[in-house]
Amino acid sequence: MPAAQKQLRHVFAVTSGATPDSGNPEYWDGDIRWATPEDISSLDGYRLRDTRRKITRAGYESCGTTTAPPGSIVLSKRAPIGQVAVLAEEACSNQGCFLLTPRNDTDTRFFYYWLSVQTEYLQVLGRGSTFMELSTDELKSLSVPHPSLQQQRAIADYLDRETARLDALVVAKERVLGLLAEKRRALITRAVTRGLDPRVPLRDSGIPWFGKIPAHWEIERARWLFRERDHRSETGEEELLTVSHLTGVTPRSEKDVNMFEAQTTEGYKICFPGDLVINTLWAWMGAMGVAPVKGIASPAYNVYETGPRLDPPYIDALVRLPVFAQEVTRYSKGVWSSRLRLYPEGFFEVYLPVPPLDEQRAIVSHIARETGNLEIVRAATERTVALLRERRSALIAAVVTGKLEVPRNDA
């Protein structure tokens, strides 16, 4: 049976946080826990036991934030709205969070679970032009279920057990996904760097990142294998391509991209199928790959025509190896690692292995076949994870709203 309803203001005292002056070292690295949305998003479980940063008593008094006792709820009110946790220790917060301190006769675990399935609704309530934010009044006015304290505890105990069981299943499946990804990387690395015949004689390549290679393979600098292409689009109407360390080169239309898009793409660089495209700024992360279709890429990227000694799909597999990204970092320019840029003169200094063309194509076919089998298992495992998470959310929503009663031995 659905529980009685109350406005959240009658169940919790709601306060917002604040931030001390970031330029004053006397305010930081103290012993007062200072919660942020980042602390909530990185939680394993729902209890927030510590925070990444702490402030001093002077910092606390300077900014007007307030502490909440253990058992209070911390809720993010900015990007993203609706992340939620329960304080295991006393803490204050920054201005990106609300602290919800229970007024009386309240098991905050129950309300944690209720709030955890309200994320989409809370995001709809967000307002703002620069960034979306949930207002104090909107939060206080929420109508929340309010069963008796005994029922709250019974429901929270039941959900603690059931969600722990479902979470353990998710962790196990995610471990499988990690092992599949590791196996895929190892399979590709082995094929690209050693070939397919384990009996073939090996020799030292002279390239530290590559090690030994089949004795009949050649080694060549990139300058003799690629030619820079700098053709520009006159209309900007060609297919726009994105370059990512996760997916290589893909049409933007196939990705869910929320990043800023230029008003015009006139003057963007034209890429042809088989061209190597490198995100100059993010090459150190592995943001590069071979274009699958004709299109255009940012003028800040570098485009290289693949020479006749290379099979483009083989190069795509090679340059997307993590060790290759580490190698090109040596030839990148910049003061900080996060600001390194790989310019053509640096890329052209890199040495690459060059198997015979027919062997490159055999390697590519082998990779496609073997990773295809792994992809079937990965997709099935990801579907299972999604279903488990849906089951978890549906279970919480049904129980906290009274649509599903907890078993009597839990009540």
Side-chain angles (χ1 to χ4, degrees), residues 104-162:
N104 49 49
D105 293 337
T106 298
D107 188 319
T108 49
R109 295 176 301 156
F110 171 83
F111 293 96
Y112 157 80
Y113 282 119
W114 185 83
L115 285 166
S116 72
V117 292
Q118 304 301 316
T119 303
E120 291 185 6
Y121 178 63
L122 294 176
Q123 289 174 351
V124 169
L125 295 178
R127 298 289 183 269
S129 54
T130 306
F131 54 82
M132 303 301 288
E133 181 169 341
L134 179 64
S135 73
T136 303
D137 286 342
E138 290 280 12
L139 180 61
K140 287 182 175 181
S141 299
L142 279 180
S143 181
V144 300
H146 197 269
S148 69
L149 181 58
Q150 181 183 6
Q151 289 176 302
Q152 292 177 35
R153 287 174 177 163
I155 289 170
D157 289 343
Y158 173 75
L159 289 176
D160 278 351
R161 288 193 295 275
E162 291 302 306

Side-chain angles (χ1 to χ4, degrees), residues 349-409:
E349 290 299 306
V350 178
Y351 280 99
L352 302 172
V354 185
L357 270 174
D358 59 345
E359 195 168 344
Q360 291 181 43
R361 294 177 182 127
I363 289 170
V364 170
S365 296
H366 171 78
I367 290 173
R369 181 172 59 255
E370 295 301 318
T371 58
N373 295 333
L374 293 176
E375 178 64 21
I376 293 172
V377 179
R378 183 199 63 79
T381 306
E382 286 188 341
R383 284 194 298 271
T384 301
V385 169
L387 289 171
L388 286 169
R389 286 178 172 154
E390 288 177 11
R391 164 65 178 162
R392 186 185 194 277
S393 295
L395 175 66
I396 293 172
V399 172
V400 297
T401 57
K403 294 178 181 177
L404 176 66
E405 291 189 14
V406 298
R408 286 190 177 279
N409 59 341

Side-chain angles (χ1 to χ4, degrees), residues 96 203 407:
R203 66 179 175 90

